[in-house]
């Protein structure tokens, strides 16, 4: 749960301006949906927040501190693809989090610590409906199962800010609804700040407490790279400012389906 | 049916695969019988029996001078050189390749150097090795390592660079640093590729081995072939070539099995 403040952020790749004058403040626990035309710079924005790319201009702070120019455990990410480690089984993908955080130079926890990590992994797998697949490799999982694993893994890292780049873009509509339920449940429980890029407007409104629209305000037909995109609409969805409101039954469904996707 | 769609069944695929071996074998036997009928002392195309007898002698009859079983002494000497050379190359390729592919400063420093070194023809360096390291085992092993190492380094570096940036970023968001990411992400991801690189390198490695043994050696499969060449002993040379082929095919098969067993995730289609 952290406050993210972006001020006058700009990003260019060489001559091409991708983003300009992007300013936004995300209050702790807010769920921001980011929408916009394909190629307008939403992923680039997310990468800058993540520290995977550096901004050309502007400032970025989390809880008042400038964001370091490389990824840290503060910010978690779920991509549309390549989000889990193909060489580790489903369970080991989760145990890896403990290995990397507490395993020292061997990157491996041992003994009781390992048992705890495994138990924690199995509990979380149960929760996201992947307990039966614990010993499989990700390649043998469906797209929906892989994304559930990716979300579970990111969650174990306990990020203050959760970034999602079209996480459900490659999934079937039915699976997507399940994933929405899972994500909302997790968000309600952990109350982290969420930034989610999606190309599905319905999804943006369903999940977000706020919808940000990225678009170019100026265009040069002779040279499309002359101007970048910025946030053109910032729509707060007041009805959902309190996550996990028990009355909001339409948004927060009951226990997550345990069906294998 | 179009040729591209006509797939042989399992049985006929096996029969088709055996066919070229049978054809070459039959042609050889026929040609050999022709020549031996004209001149029973002909050495060029010995009969299967003659080759079998020669091979048998080398395999089970101790050499009169040294008292060793020549085939096994040659095989041991050659395989030790081969695996030492390839092993050294693979170890260097793994460390240097990972450093080159994963750490931008190492790539900036050594990338161009490795690229240039890898186009130096190894056999041209052989005299240098013999002069600098003497005619012993070191020079032969060094030739093999130098011959196959640079390509393997570049192969591993390439594979490391192909690891999706998403995975590297994700590992960092989960608390990974450069070293722990090498251990838990990069190393496991390149190991299957390293094995492929070793399998591909074994061809050139045999070439360098036999070249080095032909020039300066007192035992080894390559040494033996070039030694008996003076006496036109085709009855030894041909079985030795077949034996080297068997060793090469066996090694390749073992490495493929090893990769499938140790890294099942990298072989999804072969998994049960
Ligand atoms: N590394 C890069 N180098 C050059 N141009 C890039 C790079 N990454 C993205 N771009 C360009 O930036 C623009 C925005 O890309 P992206 O952020 O992926 O868009 P979106 O996620 O909104 O579809 C695109 O025109 C893309 O071609
Ligand atoms: Mg994108």
């Amino acid at each position: 749960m952290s406050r993210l403040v972006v001020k006058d952020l700009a990003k260019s790749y060489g001559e091409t301006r991708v983003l300009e004058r992007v300013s936004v403040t995300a209050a702790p626990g807010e769920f921001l949906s980011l929408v916009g035309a394909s190629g307008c710079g939403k992923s680039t924005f997310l990468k800058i927040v993540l520290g995977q790319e550096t901004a050309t201009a502007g400032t970025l702070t989390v809880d008042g501190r400038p964001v370091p120019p490389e990824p840290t455990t503060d910010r978690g990410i779920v991509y549309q693809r390549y989000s889990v480690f193909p060489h580790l089984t489903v369970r080991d993908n989760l145990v890896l989090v403990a290995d990397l955080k507490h395993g020292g130079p061997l990157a491996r926890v041992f003994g009781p610590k390992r048992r705890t990590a495994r138990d924690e992994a199995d509990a979380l797998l149960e929760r996201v409906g992947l307990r039966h697949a614990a010993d499989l490799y990700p390649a043998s999982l469906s797209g929906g199962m892989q994304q559930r694993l990716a979300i579970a893994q990111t969650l174990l890292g306990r990020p203050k800010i959760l970034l999602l780049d079209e996480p459900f873009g490659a999934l079937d509509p039915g699976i997507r609804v399940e994933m929405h339920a899972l994500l909302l449940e997790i968000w309600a429980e952990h109350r982290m700040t969420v930034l989610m890029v999606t190309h599905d407007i319905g999804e943006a409104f369903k999940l977000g407490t706020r919808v940000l629209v990225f678009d170019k305000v100026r265009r040069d037909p002779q040279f499309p790279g002359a101007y970048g995109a910025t946030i053109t609409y910032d729509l707060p969805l007041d009805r959902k400012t309190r996550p996990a409101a028990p009355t909001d039954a339409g948004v927060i469904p009951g226990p997550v389906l345990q069906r294998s996707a | 049916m179009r040729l591209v769609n006509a797939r042989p069944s399992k049985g006929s695929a096996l029969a088709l695969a055996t066919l070229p071996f049978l054809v070459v074998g039959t042609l050889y036997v026929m040609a050999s019988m022709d020549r031996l009928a004209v001149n029973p002392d002909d050495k060029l195309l010995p009969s299967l029996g003659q080759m079998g007898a020669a091979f048998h002698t080398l395999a089970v009859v101790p050499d009169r001078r040294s008292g060793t079983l020549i085939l096994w002494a040659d095989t041991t000497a050659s395989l030790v050189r081969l695996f030492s050379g390839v092993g050294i190359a693979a170890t260097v390729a793994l460390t240097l390749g990972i450093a080159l592919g994963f750490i931008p400063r190492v790539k900036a420093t050594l990338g161009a150097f490795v690229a240039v070194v890898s186009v130096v023809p190894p056999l041209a360096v052989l005299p240098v090795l013999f002069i600098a390291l003497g005619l012993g085992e070191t020079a032969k092993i060094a030739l093999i390592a130098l011959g196959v190492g640079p390509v393997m380094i570049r192969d591993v570096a390439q594979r490391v660079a192909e690891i999706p940036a998403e995975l590297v970023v994700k590992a960092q968001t989960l608390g990974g640093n450069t070293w722990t990411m090498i251990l838990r992400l990069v190393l496991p991801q390149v190991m299957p590729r390293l094995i492929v690189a070793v399998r591909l390198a074994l061809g050139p490695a045999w070439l360098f081995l036999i070249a080095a043994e032909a020039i300066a050696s007192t035992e080894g499969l390559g040494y033996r072939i070039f030694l008996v060449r003076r006496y036109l002993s085709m009855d030894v040379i041909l079985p030795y070539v077949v034996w080297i082929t068997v060793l090469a095919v066996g090694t390749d098969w073992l490495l493929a099995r090893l990769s499938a067993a140790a890294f099942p995730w990298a072989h999804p289609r072969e998994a049960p």
Side-chain angles (χ1 to χ4, degrees):
Chain A
M1 247 226 311
S2 286
R3 178 182 300 277
L4 171 75
V5 181
V6 179
K7 266 197 201 125
D8 276 331
L9 184 129
K11 176 71 186 174
S12 304
Y13 287 110
E15 295 280 278
T16 311
R17 213 146 229 272
V18 177
L19 295 170
E20 58 185 26
R21 293 180 293 114
V22 176
S23 296
V24 64
T25 298
E30 261 194 310
F31 192 135
L32 272 54
S33 295
L34 280 52
V35 297
S38 169
C40 75
K42 307 177 298 292
S43 294
T44 303
F45 178 69
L46 228 53
K47 283 180 191 166
I48 294 171
V49 175
L50 185 59
Q52 187 181 349
E53 295 271 355
T54 42
T56 315
T59 59
L60 199 71
T61 59
V62 171
D63 294 333
R65 282 188 302 277
V67 168
E70 60 180 353
T72 60
T73 50
D74 289 351
R75 294 149 289 161
I77 176 81
V78 175
Y79 298 101
Q80 183 173 342
R81 299 167 59 217
Y82 302 122
S83 262
V84 293
F85 299 97
H87 61 282
L88 296 173
T89 62
V90 167
R91 180 187 291 114
D92 285 346
N93 257 283
L94 298 189
V95 174
L96 177 73
V97 180
D99 283 341
L100 289 176
K101 279 200 168 169
H102 311 296
L106 289 179
R108 207 173 268 281
V109 291
F110 295 98
K113 269 192 185 168
R114 184 152 209 92
R115 240 166 291 133
T116 314
R118 282 178 64 101
D119 292 346
E120 219 181 305
D122 285 350
L124 190 55
L125 287 177
E126 190 76 56
R127 172 97 196 273
V128 299
L130 286 176
R131 185 66 182 79
H132 63 284
D135 295 313
L136 299 179
Y137 287 98
S140 53
L141 303 186
S142 69
M145 290 162 86
Q146 288 195 21
Q147 287 309 76
R148 275 191 264 170
L149 176 59
I151 290 173
Q153 186 184 48
T154 303
L155 201 65
L156 267 184
R158 310 227 182 289
K160 296 185 200 155
I161 298 179
L162 175 60
L163 306 168
L164 305 143
D165 194 350
E166 304 197 12
F168 314 133
L171 306 183
D172 296 336
I175 309 294
R176 234 187 257 195
V177 173
E178 274 179 37
M179 299 296 294
H180 292 164
L182 173 65
L183 181 58
L184 285 176
E185 197 180 288
I186 284 166
W187 173 59
E189 191 176 316
H190 294 264
R191 303 286 220 97
M192 71 263 275
T193 310
V194 179
L195 274 72
M196 181 186 72
V197 171
T198 173
H199 57 236
D200 178 344
I201 295 282
E203 187 173 87
F205 278 86
K206 177 181 171 189
L207 300 181
T209 55
R210 228 166 119 190
V211 175
L212 306 179
V213 182
F214 280 71
D215 200 2
K216 290 186 180 183
V217 282
R218 298 178 290 176
R219 278 170 218 276
D220 182 343
Q222 307 299 321
F223 181 44
Y227 302 111
T230 188
I231 297 173
T232 51
Y233 292 95
D234 183 343
L235 310 167
L237 307 176
D238 291 330
R239 63 191 165 80
K240 291 195 295 190
T241 39
R242 282 167 300 116
T247 51
D248 206 348
V251 176
I252 319 277
V256 179
L257 300 177
Q258 302 266 316
R259 218 187 83 194
S260 60
Chain B
M1 192 182 259
R2 293 184 191 91
L3 272 177
V4 291
N5 294 327
R7 294 179 196 285
S9 73
K10 243 185 177 174
S12 60
L14 191 68
L16 285 173
T18 328
L19 192 64
F21 292 99
L22 280 179
V23 169
V24 171
T26 313
L27 284 178
Y28 178 87
V29 170
M30 275 162 43
S32 163
M33 287 194 322
D34 266 4
R35 286 188 73 102
L36 289 171
V38 177
N39 172 14
D41 291 331
D42 181 68
K43 302 199 86 168
L44 204 60
L45 298 179
S47 71
L48 293 185
Q50 289 170 320
M51 289 193 284
F55 193 69
H56 184 257
T57 308
L58 290 170
V60 300
V61 181
D63 182 43
R64 254 174 294 146
R65 259 184 305 145
S66 61
T68 55
L69 298 174
I70 287 186
L71 174 69
W72 307 114
D74 284 346
T75 304
T76 312
S78 286
L79 288 185
V80 166
R81 289 167 191 149
L82 186 79
F83 291 134
S84 309
V86 173
I88 290 168
T91 311
V92 173
L94 197 60
T95 35
L96 203 53
I98 286 178
L100 276 170
F102 202 49
I103 302 171
R105 278 185 183 157
V106 175
K107 186 182 169 69
T109 315
L110 290 178
F113 181 73
V114 170
V116 169
V117 167
S118 67
V119 292
V120 174
L123 282 179
V125 185
L126 184 56
V128 180
L129 294 176
F130 279 145
I131 293 169
L133 304 171
L135 296 179
E137 296 302 297
T138 323
K140 298 184 197 77
I141 292 171
L143 173 69
I144 296 170
L146 283 177
V148 299
V151 176
M152 288 170 78
I153 295 173
R154 294 179 77 182
D155 207 25
V156 170
Q158 177 67 33
R159 175 69 191 93
V160 174
E162 282 168 15
I163 295 175
E166 286 89 343
L167 290 184
V168 179
V169 171
K170 178 104 188 206
Q172 293 176 74
T173 64
L174 298 176
N177 59 36
T178 303
W179 171 244
T180 54
M181 282 193 290
I182 286 176
L183 274 187
R184 297 302 309 274
L185 171 61
V186 180
L187 200 56
Q189 295 242 347
V190 297
M191 278 311 288
R193 176 67 159 263
L194 182 73
I195 292 183
V196 172
V198 167
R199 289 173 63 189
L200 292 174
L202 277 167
W206 276 103
L207 168 76
F208 296 126
L209 172 74
I210 292 172
E213 287 181 343
I215 294 170
S217 194
T218 53
E219 57 181 354
L221 298 165
Y223 161 75
R224 192 70 49 200
I225 291 178
F226 277 81
L227 179 75
V228 301
R229 178 191 62 98
R230 296 183 210 153
Y231 318 113
L232 292 179
S233 294
M234 288 292 265
D235 55 339
V236 172
I237 296 178
L238 290 179
Y240 256 58
V241 171
V242 172
W243 177 236
I244 290 173
T245 309
V246 168
L247 290 175
V249 170
T251 317
D252 188 64
W253 182 84
L254 277 179
L255 285 169
R257 301 304 315 144
L258 172 72
S259 184
F263 312 107
W265 57 272
H267 306 268
R269 264 165 300 162
E270 296 152 50

